[in-house]
Amino acid sequence: MKEVHLLRVITDSGERQIWLAATDRDRAVEEVLDAIPEGWTVSLIERELSAEQAASLNMKPGEVRRHKLS
């Protein structure tokens, strides 16, 4: 399983979202940009997930998704 990176997304209306990317760190921003509407911005969050946290997300390599709090 690849690493899972946290990214901050800001929509064109100013809403802040957290997204997850199961990619290499250097590809995470590009992969999330491909998944969101044009005009939104993305930045990496420096916090790293542990291997256990990443595994518990059950993400496939290359997958990106918005993190929704339950």
Side-chain angles (χ1 to χ4, degrees):
M1 160 98 161
K2 291 189 176 268
E3 302 171 76
V4 176
H5 301 285
L6 298 167
L7 297 100
R8 179 179 299 108
V9 171
I10 302 175
T11 69
D12 53 4
S13 66
E15 177 188 358
R16 297 176 190 273
Q17 302 175 352
I18 300 298
W19 281 64
L20 306 164
T23 64
D24 293 327
R25 187 169 182 82
D26 60 345
R27 300 250 333 127
V29 169
E30 185 176 330
E31 294 295 330
V32 172
L33 280 171
D34 287 345
I36 61 175
E38 192 171 322
W40 293 17
T41 60
V42 178
S43 60
L44 275 167
I45 296 174
E46 292 301 316
R47 183 177 178 268
E48 298 284 332
L49 295 177
S50 70
E52 295 81 22
Q53 290 169 321
S56 72
L57 294 169
N58 296 316
M59 293 181 73
K60 297 176 182 157
E63 180 181 355
V64 296
R65 67 178 177 214
R66 182 178 173 190
H67 178 65
K68 297 184 182 186
L69 299 174
S70 52

